[in-house]
Amino acid sequence: MAVMTMVEAIRSALAAELERDERVLLLGQDIGVNGGVFRATEGLQERFGAERVVDMPLAEAVIVGSAVGLACSGLVPVPELQFLGFGSQAFHQIEGQVARMRFRSHGRYGMPMVIRAPFGGNVRTPELHSDAHEAKYAGSPGLKVAMPATARDAKGMLTEALRDPDPVLFCEPLRGYRLIKDEVPEEDFTVPLGRARTVREGDDLVIVAYSAAVVIAEKAAERAAAEGYSVGVLDLRSLVPLDADALREAVARSGRALVLHEAPLTAGFGAELVATIQEEAFWSLEAPIGRVAAYDTPYPPGSVEDLYVPSVERVLAAIRTVLEA
Amino acid sequence: MAVMTMVEAIRSALAAELERDERVLLLGQDIGVNGGVFRATEGLQERFGAERVVDMPLAEAVIVGSAVGLACSGLVPVPELQFLGFGSQAFHQIEGQVARMRFRSHGRYGMPMVIRAPFGGNVRTPELHSDAHEAKYAGSPGLKVAMPATARDAKGMLTEALRDPDPVLFCEPLRGYRLIKDEVPEEDFTVPLGRARTVREGDDLVIVAYSAAVVIAEKAAERAAAEGYSVGVLDLRSLVPLDADALREAVARSGRALVLHEAPLTAGFGAELVATIQEEAFWSLEAPIGRVAAYDTPYPPGSVEDLYVPSVERVLAAIRTVLEA
Amino acid sequence: MSTLPAIGTDEPRCLLAPDGTVAEGHVTALDDAALLDAWRAMLQSRAIDERFFSLQRQGRLGTFSPVNGEEAAVVGSAWALDPARDWVVPQYRELPAMLRQGYTVTRAVQYFTGNPAGNFMAPGVNVLPYQISLAAQIPHAVGLAWGLRHQGSDGVVCVYFGDGASSEGDAHEALNLAGVRRAPVVFLLKNNGWAISTPVHRQTAAPSFAARAAGYGMAGELVDGNDLFAVHDACTRAVTRARAGEGPTLIEARTYRMGPHNTSDDPTRYVDPEELEARRAGDPVARLRRHLQAKGLVDDASEEVLTAALTAEVDAAVAEAEAGAPPGPEAMFDHVYARPPQRMAGQRAAATGEAG
Amino acid sequence: MSTLPAIGTDEPRCLLAPDGTVAEGHVTALDDAALLDAWRAMLQSRAIDERFFSLQRQGRLGTFSPVNGEEAAVVGSAWALDPARDWVVPQYRELPAMLRQGYTVTRAVQYFTGNPAGNFMAPGVNVLPYQISLAAQIPHAVGLAWGLRHQGSDGVVCVYFGDGASSEGDAHEALNLAGVRRAPVVFLLKNNGWAISTPVHRQTAAPSFAARAAGYGMAGELVDGNDLFAVHDACTRAVTRARAGEGPTLIEARTYRMGPHNTSDDPTRYVDPEELEARRAGDPVARLRRHLQAKGLVDDASEEVLTAALTAEVDAAVAEAEAGAPPGPEAMFDHVYARPPQRMAGQRAAATGEAG
Ligand SMILES: Cc1ncc(C[n+]2csc(CCOP(=O)(O)OP(=O)(O)O)c2C)c(N)n1
Ligand SMILES: Cc1ncc(C[n+]2csc(CCOP(=O)(O)OP(=O)(O)O)c2C)c(N)n1
Ligand SMILES: [Mg+2]
Ligand SMILES: [Mg+2]
């Protein structure tokens, strides 16, 4: 197997599906000639033509909204939000239209669509480029929300999402585009949504995370191991569908849990995870479930962003708190 | 004291502040000549003129976005979203601009603004008119989110919000506009944000709710009392700020809790409440905290909406489950 | 730009005068059969408005927005389409256009009684569902037209939206994209003078909405929306251009909402009764009636018979819709996902009492 | 409409020819002092672009978008404003306009080093913060202008946005509202040919952005954006109209982005080198230089001295900014709320080690 970066894995999944399924069509800002600002679509317009890899005007609502119409016509549109933060410009189209069209039309118009959106911090982007809005989409029924943490999952889950008849918001950690590297099968394969991945087992505590935060969780777990704690890491992979069984089993094993994400604490998806865990595994809980998240403030300018996004140290401190509770 | 409906209480608070503070300016769709589709602003344009009660074009983003500029000019704008569901059209202006302008400008441009928005179900409105999106706004740092459940609180909290230098999303339960009636002081008074209201004490379980759901909670508590259970009801009043102390004390007393709202379950604000409660009062919990919410589906057409919005029966059933756990 | 029709920024084009006479030298593309078919559709719309309104008052129907006054704008445009390959993307006040495409009155009754099945378009019915989120359907129409063309079809999409909806960002983004992609779309902007209580002069300072076409590099036309011939003529030319790959057209049909915004609206609060009276003189149905009577195609007697028949049809549809079993709890879950998440499946089981 | 200036839908108005000669009979409102002041601002902008770019390469500055090529469009418009009562609402590529209003280079350095204080406009500096969310500032500008007028000021707001931002719904909603309210706004649309890698012909099919003005009932002008005189002239007339209560104007300044979109962009991937060369001939600084040299107001020697002085100023500002203590954790919490919720206050205490 070849080692790929996450952005290479994403590109290869897009290329393979463009090749395999002529209904697939990519649309977005700067995705064509420029190959995407992160090069996720590099070379695809040359290979598949400007009618299947389409540079769009600077207007998120119509990038997503026209994708709704493209889907109604029988195609599989893959709109790219240059940054998840600018999904807010299309929020009414995503939560109000994409997510509801199948239901609204009583099944006539399915929305086989994947909305790709990079997000996440620590890379000194300008304001609004790093925002982690996943909970707002996970709270929009009709949508599925995928959050891969490895290059392998990025390819397998994106392929799965492209073949899923339901609309999927596919969030890509921009910090991980090049930093996250692992072995990715060349051949066609899919990773189902809604099945969490056990990154490492642990008897004392389990950290539940997704996307780039999984990397932080792993590092913290290693550091904790050095302190003599057995800390497991569960990678959720997708928020909707949510793998409640995996949450139950992981917590049943260790009795203690920590949820971790890059979004602010209040009403972040970590709250849903805590609520689900205590519903599923209340009686095995030996301590309050900890939450490590960004602060309840807007994503700050670059000089302090590394203090804002949860760090290995903050996770470690939280691990100790939960273990000592 | 006079008994007022909630819509009368809201109208009286708006009138009083328009009278008291010439910086206050109302803007929205159909709020002038028509007095608002729910009559919340009836008579205000006649009384204060078309320059202070302004009918706007049909465009939510610029209704909110121009309010940002009005606030920068030194005014206190009160934009109305005809329905909270259409706040999604202005989502980028609300979460990205209103909520962040003070922080972005390092304090130069505060946003003393109140965004009024009716929401909630069971009244046979067309699609998208009943959506309860509060968690999406509560997860937008820089914003405050108010959710009054009584006419008295509606007047007192709206007055408070209009005087608060921070932007407040003020959610009004449209089902309660006329159904919710109680005694409201004629004189000027305010109800602080972030201080929950104990609706009734209970030794066996406490229901945590807000807005119109408080009425459902009260009815369920009464029914439960008939079955011999002592069930308390806590009205949060606002989601941001959140009264964590009241949550701790209420749960400490009964050891069992149920959170209730009209929004879908997943990533609803109830998840934040469960997470907060188990952080604040884990050791006094005697059973898993229950959640009663709408289903994880889009708000359905009228023929089935009463099955969708949590009913007294569903709350009662959940009470029994939590008590028997 | 020279290839694009000139835009009359204040004088709508009129071919069928209020007195029922046709403009010098104009020959409508509608032959007598088509004319009578359109006439029937306009009367049917009136019959539906009336019945639905009273049903709503009896609590048998939910909120409903009558077409009343806009029949020529809706029928004139829809009759320029080929239901077999062209599409209608409605807002919520264009039932006659949806029916022409194959949607049924029975489904409409279901829709307005809050039955999810009411928004189902049977296969072959080229219509998108009712759109409540104003202007949100306009981007859909552009994508649909683009997608049809991408797949080799020569179908054209006619999207309806109001003067109010035109102020939404979605309208702009969609018009601009359609220009860039030369998508085969007819943008039928029904300017009925009102967005609930907001008069059009508070909606925009533009001399006409058609004047916006130039800013998107597309053809624009301003027509008398109460004139079946003018609307049909402009729309036919727009459809021809679109089919030929010559791109989209923005048509502003100037008409007037003769009734309330919807069943819960009270226009006496904001409509000047004198203006309303004056506008009633422009009634598109009365105008077509004069023309058809002068042509000897209809008379009061035949109209009475036809109206009675149409009303009976509506009643039959109402009966059929009401005869159906009311939706159960499963209606909240059906069609939300093709592959439902486990959690929603569990909620469904709990709500319906089925095994999860 | 007759009161509104006609819109040239394809030929931008030019007053200062590329060879530095002034159009027959035109007398610019800029006297020699003002001219030299504008010249200074344009050279300062070049000096800042250069320094900031190399600082970014050294890792001392974050992402930065140079003004390079658009100096006349920015300076020509800003010089038509009265900083004491008029306002500038920027996108992110209009530093010279912000500086004219009283913003400082030191703050700019802070901003681009990710220091929250960099976006602070001192009292009296009539500028809104940098806007990253494209077009989101346009509604703000309309509300600001409306609010000023509401409070009896005769201030005018000049809002800058790009050809790319013009496609956003916010641009439409704001332009339309400004027309309805006759808000005193000058919409300065800087058409620099690109939105990152998207050429303007993929952005819109319109013959010009100025052609959109008619659709909002406002004045529209298309000017050569590399022509200081044409931009200043159009803007001056627009400001005069706005101040007099005659409403907003949409000005399209046709210019060209001579450099990369920003410090992380590689234009060689998408810009045709020949086109770039051709466009360089339109360089607004070179054009003004020719004029001023012909007028005998500047020469190579004086320019060299001035550039050296300006560069020294920039270096001093950089030094000043870098001398300041780097922001600590409290910077994440300061100014988020005037009355912080208890929970955020607790988070602040934890993050800063202060007592909660
Ligand atoms: C995005 C959005 N905002 C507000 C509303 C509430 N609303 C329903 S109809 C209407 C007026 C629409 O006017 P117009 O587009 O002219 O259509 P008409 O009703 O005149 O046919 C409004 C404001 C809505 N449905 N959607
Ligand atoms: C709403 C939004 N979408 C996308 C982006 C990403 N982005 C930053 S600059 C840019 C191009 C802007 O082009 P234009 O408006 O012409 O301004 P210019 O950079 O040419 O000055 C894009 C797409 C953004 N900042 N905001
Ligand atoms: Mg209308
Ligand atoms: Mg540009």
Side-chain angles (χ1 to χ4, degrees):
Chain A
M1 270 195 291
V3 168
M4 288 188 192
T5 63
M6 183 173 269
V7 74
E8 287 164 348
I10 287 163
R11 195 185 305 128
S12 69
L14 292 171
E17 282 305 287
L18 280 161
E19 187 68 58
R20 196 189 66 84
D21 183 350
E22 64 174 10
R23 298 171 310 147
V24 173
L25 181 154
L26 314 190
L27 58 157
Q29 297 159 10
D30 307 294
I31 67 167
V33 181
N34 198 34
V37 291
F38 296 105
R39 309 293 172 245
T41 54
E42 182 156 32
L44 298 182
Q45 188 179 68
E46 265 167 72
R47 183 165 159 203
F48 298 99
E51 289 302 311
R52 294 190 65 201
V53 180
V54 184
D55 280 314
M56 293 287 281
L58 210 165
E60 289 75 15
V62 82
I63 287 173
V64 174
S66 63
V68 170
L70 287 163
C72 290
S73 81
L75 297 172
V76 177
V78 185
E80 174 183 290
L81 297 169
Q82 200 163 70
F83 295 90
L84 181 60
F86 303 124
S88 296
Q89 266 79 352
F91 198 61
H92 57 295
Q93 283 289 344
I94 300 172
E95 70 86 10
Q97 302 298 319
V98 172
R100 303 182 201 222
M101 185 55 88
R102 174 182 288 273
F103 180 63
R104 176 182 301 149
S105 66
H106 206 59
R108 165 80 189 266
Y109 300 109
M111 288 286 119
M113 176 189 310
V114 177
I115 303 174
R116 295 183 40 252
F119 81 105
N122 300 116
V123 294
R124 305 287 177 274
T125 57
E127 194 192 358
L128 299 156
H129 285 59
S130 300
D131 290 25
H133 287 300
E134 65 273 12
K136 301 174 173 82
Y137 295 96
S140 299
L143 215 57
K144 294 175 178 176
V145 180
M147 289 269 173
T150 67
R152 184 183 186 286
D153 280 356
K155 181 179 177 184
M157 287 168 67
L158 182 51
T159 306
E160 171 75 16
L162 288 163
R163 298 173 189 178
D164 192 312
D166 296 314
V168 179
L169 177 70
F170 195 83
C171 300
E172 305 168 2
L174 57 89
R175 185 174 73 235
Y177 269 142
R178 281 169 184 72
L179 289 181
I180 293 176
K181 283 197 205 68
D182 47 86
E183 293 205 322
V184 180
E186 246 103 295
E187 69 274 11
D188 181 290
F189 75 102
T190 63
V191 172
L193 304 179
R195 211 149 323 139
R197 176 177 67 100
T198 299
V199 181
R200 55 186 284 160
E201 306 272 352
D203 299 322
D204 301 333
L205 175 147
V206 62
I207 304 175
V208 181
Y210 48 87
S211 194
V214 171
V215 179
I216 303 295
E218 286 184 70
K219 290 186 179 148
E222 279 157 29
R223 294 267 297 274
E227 297 180 22
Y229 300 123
S230 164
V231 172
V233 174
L234 185 71
D235 170 8
L236 275 180
R237 277 184 170 149
S238 65
L239 309 187
V240 180
L242 179 62
D243 191 345
D245 301 333
L247 285 171
R248 188 190 324 104
E249 288 152 22
V251 175
R253 171 172 179 162
S254 60
R256 294 168 192 263
L258 193 68
V259 301
L260 166 69
H261 56 61
E262 282 194 30
L265 180 80
T266 295
F269 198 77
E272 178 57 51
L273 295 175
V274 171
T276 301
I277 291 169
Q278 72 94 44
E279 280 156 15
E280 298 282 338
F282 180 82
W283 303 109
S284 42
L285 279 175
E286 293 158 25
I289 302 157
R291 285 193 285 174
V292 182
Y295 301 115
D296 288 319
T297 68
Y299 196 97
S303 66
V304 288
E305 69 177 309
D306 294 344
L307 300 172
Y308 179 79
V309 177
S311 60
V312 172
E313 286 63 32
R314 257 159 79 192
V315 176
L316 255 179
I319 289 173
R320 296 192 195 98
T321 311
V322 175
L323 287 174
E324 288 153 18
Chain B
M1 271 194 293
V3 168
M4 289 189 192
T5 62
M6 182 172 268
V7 73
E8 286 164 349
I10 287 163
R11 195 185 305 127
S12 69
L14 292 171
E17 282 305 287
L18 280 161
E19 187 67 58
R20 196 189 66 83
D21 183 349
E22 64 173 10
R23 298 172 309 149
V24 174
L25 182 154
L26 277 46
L27 58 158
Q29 297 159 9
D30 306 294
I31 67 167
V33 181
N34 198 34
V37 291
F38 296 105
R39 310 292 172 245
T41 54
E42 182 154 30
L44 298 182
Q45 187 178 70
E46 262 167 75
R47 184 166 159 202
F48 298 99
E51 289 303 310
R52 295 190 64 203
V53 180
V54 184
D55 280 315
M56 293 286 281
L58 209 166
E60 289 75 16
V62 81
I63 287 172
V64 173
S66 63
V68 170
L70 288 163
C72 291
S73 81
L75 297 172
V76 178
V78 186
E80 175 184 291
L81 297 169
Q82 200 164 70
F83 295 89
L84 181 61
F86 304 124
S88 296
Q89 266 79 353
F91 198 61
H92 58 294
Q93 284 289 343
I94 300 173
E95 70 86 11
Q97 302 298 318
V98 172
R100 303 182 203 224
M101 186 55 87
R102 173 182 289 273
F103 180 63
R104 176 180 302 150
S105 65
H106 207 58
R108 164 81 189 267
Y109 301 108
M111 288 286 120
M113 176 190 308
V114 177
I115 302 173
R116 295 183 40 249
F119 81 104
N122 300 115
V123 294
R124 306 287 179 273
T125 57
E127 193 191 359
L128 299 156
H129 285 60
S130 300
D131 291 22
H133 286 301
E134 65 273 12
K136 300 174 175 79
Y137 296 96
S140 299
L143 214 59
K144 294 174 177 175
V145 180
M147 289 268 173
T150 67
R152 185 182 186 284
D153 280 356
K155 182 179 175 184
M157 288 169 65
L158 182 51
T159 305
E160 171 76 15
L162 289 162
R163 298 174 189 177
D164 192 311
D166 296 314
V168 179
L169 177 70
F170 195 83
C171 300
E172 305 168 3
L174 56 90
R175 185 174 74 235
Y177 269 142
R178 281 168 184 73
L179 290 181
I180 293 177
K181 281 197 207 67
D182 47 86
E183 292 203 324
V184 180
E186 247 104 291
E187 69 275 11
D188 182 292
F189 75 101
T190 62
V191 172
L193 304 179
R195 206 139 339 129
R197 177 177 66 100
T198 299
V199 180
R200 55 186 285 160
E201 306 271 351
D203 300 322
D204 300 334
L205 176 147
V206 62
I207 305 174
V208 180
Y210 48 86
S211 194
V214 171
V215 179
I216 304 295
E218 286 184 69
K219 290 188 179 148
E222 278 156 31
R223 294 266 300 273
E227 297 179 20
Y229 299 124
S230 165
V231 172
V233 175
L234 185 71
D235 170 8
L236 274 181
R237 277 189 173 140
S238 65
L239 310 187
V240 180
L242 179 62
D243 191 344
D245 301 333
L247 286 170
R248 188 190 323 103
E249 287 152 23
V251 174
R253 170 173 178 162
S254 60
R256 294 168 192 264
L258 194 68
V259 300
L260 167 68
H261 56 60
E262 283 195 25
L265 181 78
T266 295
F269 199 76
E272 177 58 52
L273 295 175
V274 171
T276 301
I277 291 170
Q278 72 95 44
E279 280 156 14
E280 298 283 338
F282 180 83
W283 302 110
S284 42
L285 279 174
E286 293 158 24
I289 302 158
R291 284 192 287 173
V292 183
Y295 301 114
D296 288 320
T297 68
Y299 196 98
S303 67
V304 289
E305 69 177 309
D306 294 344
L307 300 173
Y308 179 79
V309 177
S311 61
V312 172
E313 287 62 33
R314 258 159 78 191
V315 177
L316 254 179
I319 289 173
R320 297 195 195 97
T321 310
V322 174
L323 287 174
E324 287 153 20
Chain C
M1 299 296 296
S2 50
T3 66
L4 304 179
I7 298 151
T9 55
D10 25 32
E11 266 321 298
R13 184 147 181 266
C14 177
L15 295 172
L16 180 64
D19 66 4
T21 59
V22 182
E24 192 62 44
H26 175 74
V27 188
T28 174
L30 295 161
D31 61 22
D32 288 354
L35 257 182
L36 288 172
D37 192 35
W39 169 245
R40 182 186 189 286
M42 288 165 73
L43 290 185
Q44 179 189 37
S45 181
R46 287 274 159 107
I48 291 170
D49 281 354
E50 220 173 75
R51 266 299 191 269
F52 281 19
F53 223 89
S54 57
L55 287 170
Q56 193 277 340
R57 290 292 180 251
Q58 299 163 39
R60 287 160 66 191
L61 225 65
T63 313
F64 163 72
S65 293
V67 180
N68 187 7
E70 307 174 28
E71 293 84 356
V74 177
V75 172
S77 49
W79 260 245
L81 304 174
D82 170 5
R85 55 181 164 167
D86 298 332
W87 287 68
V88 160
V89 178
Q91 189 162 292
Y92 48 71
R93 205 187 293 279
E94 298 83 19
L95 182 54
M98 295 163 75
L99 295 174
R100 171 112 195 295
Q101 296 286 106
Y103 183 65
T104 65
V105 180
T106 305
R107 293 245 178 233
V109 177
Q110 291 178 316
Y111 177 75
F112 289 110
T113 53
N115 180 339
N119 228 343
F120 180 76
M121 304 296 150
V125 176
N126 295 340
V127 180
L128 293 196
Y130 284 97
Q131 182 58 259
I132 295 304
S133 186
L134 288 163
Q137 77 277 18
I138 315 178
H140 306 171
V142 176
L144 174 59
W146 165 10
L148 292 171
R149 204 124 143 280
H150 183 87
Q151 293 165 91
S153 152
D154 67 351
V156 172
V157 177
C158 179
V159 57
Y160 293 89
F161 58 108
D163 45 294
S166 75
S167 295
E168 290 280 356
D170 280 11
H172 166 69
E173 296 189 15
L175 282 157
N176 187 53
L177 177 64
V180 171
R181 298 213 58 85
R182 295 180 74 77
V185 183
V186 179
F187 296 92
L188 206 296
L189 193 162
K190 253 188 313 127
N191 176 356
N192 64 0
W194 297 99
I196 306 185
S197 73
T198 310
V200 68
H201 65 268
R202 280 229 164 55
Q203 198 62 243
T204 187
S208 77
F209 291 103
R212 291 193 182 152
Y216 301 114
M218 70 174 68
E221 298 212 38
L222 174 61
V223 297
D224 180 340
N226 294 340
D227 172 344
L228 183 78
F229 292 0
V231 174
H232 183 263
D233 180 63
C235 217
T236 302
R237 283 181 286 106
V239 167
T240 307
R241 272 197 304 274
R243 227 188 276 298
E246 290 163 28
T249 302
L250 171 60
I251 298 175
E252 174 184 358
R254 287 247 177 106
T255 175
Y256 195 77
R257 198 192 75 202
M258 296 199 311
H261 167 67
N262 65 23
T263 44
S264 38
D265 177 44
D266 172 13
T268 63
R269 299 174 64 91
Y270 57 82
V271 177
D272 166 7
E274 288 183 2
E275 179 189 334
L276 183 58
E277 256 332 286
R279 297 302 206 120
R280 283 189 184 289
D283 182 344
V285 172
R287 190 186 296 197
L288 186 61
R289 177 185 295 119
R290 288 186 200 97
H291 177 72
L292 295 179
Q293 288 192 351
K295 259 186 125 176
L297 285 171
V298 308
D299 58 23
D300 295 351
S302 72
E303 180 172 344
E304 216 170 284
V305 173
L306 180 53
T307 301
L310 291 166
T311 307
E313 265 180 48
V314 179
D315 293 337
V318 172
E320 188 188 356
E322 291 183 337
E330 66 288 344
M332 293 184 282
F333 304 93
D334 287 342
H335 308 298
V336 174
Y337 291 94
R339 299 184 191 161
Q342 193 186 11
R343 175 177 278 183
M344 193 201 81
Q347 294 173 349
R348 181 197 175 110
T352 58
E354 302 158 4
Chain D
M1 298 298 292
S2 50
T3 66
L4 304 179
I7 299 150
T9 54
D10 25 35
E11 265 323 295
R13 186 148 180 267
C14 177
L15 294 171
L16 180 64
D19 66 4
T21 59
V22 183
E24 192 63 43
H26 175 73
V27 188
T28 175
L30 295 161
D31 60 24
D32 288 355
L35 257 182
L36 287 172
D37 192 35
W39 169 245
R40 182 185 191 287
M42 289 166 73
L43 290 185
Q44 178 189 38
S45 181
R46 286 275 159 107
I48 291 170
D49 280 355
E50 221 171 73
R51 268 296 192 269
F52 281 19
F53 223 89
S54 56
L55 287 170
Q56 192 278 339
R57 291 292 182 253
Q58 299 163 39
R60 287 159 66 189
L61 226 65
T63 312
F64 162 73
S65 293
V67 180
N68 187 8
E70 307 174 29
E71 293 84 355
V74 176
V75 172
S77 48
W79 260 244
L81 305 174
D82 170 5
R85 54 180 165 169
D86 298 331
W87 287 69
V88 160
V89 177
Q91 187 162 290
Y92 48 71
R93 204 187 293 278
E94 298 84 19
L95 181 55
M98 296 164 75
L99 294 174
R100 172 111 195 297
Q101 297 286 109
Y103 183 66
T104 66
V105 180
T106 306
R107 293 239 178 238
V109 176
Q110 291 178 316
Y111 177 75
F112 289 109
T113 53
N115 180 338
N119 228 343
F120 179 76
M121 304 297 150
V125 176
N126 295 340
V127 179
L128 294 195
Y130 284 97
Q131 182 58 259
I132 295 304
S133 186
L134 288 163
Q137 77 277 16
I138 314 178
H140 306 171
V142 176
L144 175 59
W146 165 10
L148 293 171
R149 198 118 149 284
H150 183 86
Q151 293 165 92
S153 151
D154 66 352
V156 172
V157 177
C158 179
V159 57
Y160 293 89
F161 57 108
D163 45 294
S166 76
S167 295
E168 290 281 356
D170 281 11
H172 166 69
E173 297 189 16
L175 283 157
N176 187 53
L177 178 64
V180 171
R181 297 214 58 85
R182 295 179 75 75
V185 183
V186 178
F187 295 92
L188 207 297
L189 192 162
K190 254 189 312 129
N191 176 356
N192 64 1
W194 297 98
I196 305 185
S197 72
T198 310
V200 68
H201 66 267
R202 281 233 162 55
Q203 199 62 244
T204 187
S208 78
F209 291 102
R212 289 190 184 156
Y216 302 114
M218 69 174 71
E221 298 213 36
L222 174 61
V223 298
D224 179 340
N226 294 339
D227 172 344
L228 183 77
F229 292 0
V231 174
H232 182 263
D233 180 64
C235 219
T236 303
R237 283 182 285 106
V239 167
T240 307
R241 272 197 305 273
R243 227 189 274 298
E246 291 164 26
T249 302
L250 171 59
I251 298 174
E252 173 182 358
R254 287 246 176 109
T255 176
Y256 195 77
R257 197 193 75 202
M258 296 201 310
H261 166 67
N262 63 23
T263 44
S264 38
D265 177 46
D266 171 13
T268 64
R269 299 173 64 90
Y270 56 82
V271 177
D272 168 6
E274 289 182 2
E275 179 189 335
L276 183 59
E277 255 334 284
R279 296 305 204 119
R280 282 190 186 288
D283 183 344
V285 172
R287 192 186 296 197
L288 186 62
R289 177 184 294 118
R290 288 186 201 98
H291 178 72
L292 296 178
Q293 288 192 350
K295 258 185 126 177
L297 285 170
V298 308
D299 57 25
D300 295 351
S302 71
E303 180 172 343
E304 213 171 284
V305 172
L306 181 52
T307 301
L310 291 165
T311 306
E313 266 180 47
V314 179
D315 293 338
V318 172
E320 187 188 357
E322 291 184 337
E330 66 289 345
M332 293 184 282
F333 303 93
D334 287 341
H335 309 298
V336 173
Y337 292 94
R339 299 183 191 161
Q342 193 187 9
R343 175 176 278 182
M344 194 201 81
Q347 293 173 350
R348 180 196 176 110
T352 57
E354 301 159 7

